Amino acid sequence: MQTDKHVVPADFAAPAAAPAIGTPTIKRRVIAMVYEAFLLIAVEALAVFLYLLATGNRQAPAYRTGLMVFLFLVTAAYFVHAWSGSGFTLAMKTWRIKLVKVGCPKVPFRNAAIRYLLAWGWFAPALVVGGLMDLHHLKEWAVALILGMVAWGLTAFLDKDRQFLHDRIAGTRLIALPKVGKKK
């Protein structure tokens, strides 16, 4: 398991008796990402509704492209705002995972934005390959996406701290937060 002890970020300074903060396991991060996907579906559904309302549900190619750009920006706003604010989204908070930049009380906006763009590495290579191979069937796309996501996820095993490639490049890291004891 990846419970290596790491330098505690400044905003987590605590007494010496506090447990060390380590990297969350890959399994925990993947489960949080699945939960995140469900939450993001709701955010994106609202965004699609608002876009269709604003554009009068026009279906010309320019409007479809506009919708894709709008969804990309809405998703960016969702993640970058959460990461540069509290350091976690609802899914990350539920699974006690926080995004930090060591030495900073909060993740700077720039690092959060870079992380968002780099996190497309989970999907972008598969989308490019699928487009180049002219995939048409759902099963073919599913295979391409799954292979691409597994390949990107394996980058954590190449890192000594078990951080994903996008975190390493963006200068951020995920940490596992300790369980909060119930008050009696």
Side-chain angles (χ1 to χ4, degrees):
M1 297 192 111
Q2 305 105 344
T3 56
D4 303 328
K5 297 185 184 346
H6 300 288
V7 176
V8 177
D11 60 337
F12 277 100
I21 296 174
T23 302
T25 63
I26 304 286
K27 179 182 175 182
R28 189 161 145 193
R29 288 184 272 173
V30 169
I31 291 170
M33 285 189 292
V34 170
Y35 182 26
E36 194 75 71
F38 287 115
L39 296 173
L40 195 57
I41 287 170
V43 170
E44 301 253 329
L46 177 60
V48 168
F49 172 76
L50 293 174
Y51 183 85
L52 294 177
L53 190 66
T55 62
N57 195 18
R58 292 186 182 91
Q59 297 297 316
Y63 287 100
R64 283 189 234 138
T65 301
L67 176 59
M68 296 299 113
V69 170
F70 183 65
L71 289 175
F72 179 83
L73 295 173
V74 166
T75 305
Y78 171 78
F79 283 114
V80 173
H81 172 72
W83 294 336
S84 62
S86 63
F88 43 73
T89 61
L90 178 59
M92 292 169 71
K93 185 174 184 178
T94 301
W95 285 93
R96 297 180 331 275
I97 299 171
K98 185 170 183 176
L99 183 71
V100 298
K101 178 163 175 55
V102 177
C104 295
K106 289 185 176 185
V107 175
F109 178 86
R110 180 177 187 272
N111 292 87
I114 290 170
R115 183 180 195 265
Y116 172 73
L117 293 173
L118 292 173
W120 277 93
W122 286 98
F123 310 103
L127 295 175
V128 169
V129 167
L132 292 174
M133 293 179 65
D134 198 28
L135 301 182
H136 294 287
H137 300 290
L138 180 61
K139 288 180 184 177
E140 294 171 336
W141 276 105
V143 169
L145 284 170
I146 289 169
L147 288 175
M149 292 173 73
V150 167
W152 191 264
L154 290 174
T155 65
F157 292 102
L158 300 174
D159 186 85
K160 65 180 175 64
D161 297 325
R162 296 290 187 244
Q163 296 295 319
F164 290 122
L165 182 60
H166 55 279
D167 282 311
R168 181 62 63 193
I169 296 171
T172 58
R173 65 175 300 113
L174 293 173
I175 60 169
L177 299 175
K179 287 184 180 181
V180 178
K182 294 183 180 180
K183 294 182 181 181
K184 295 180 181 180

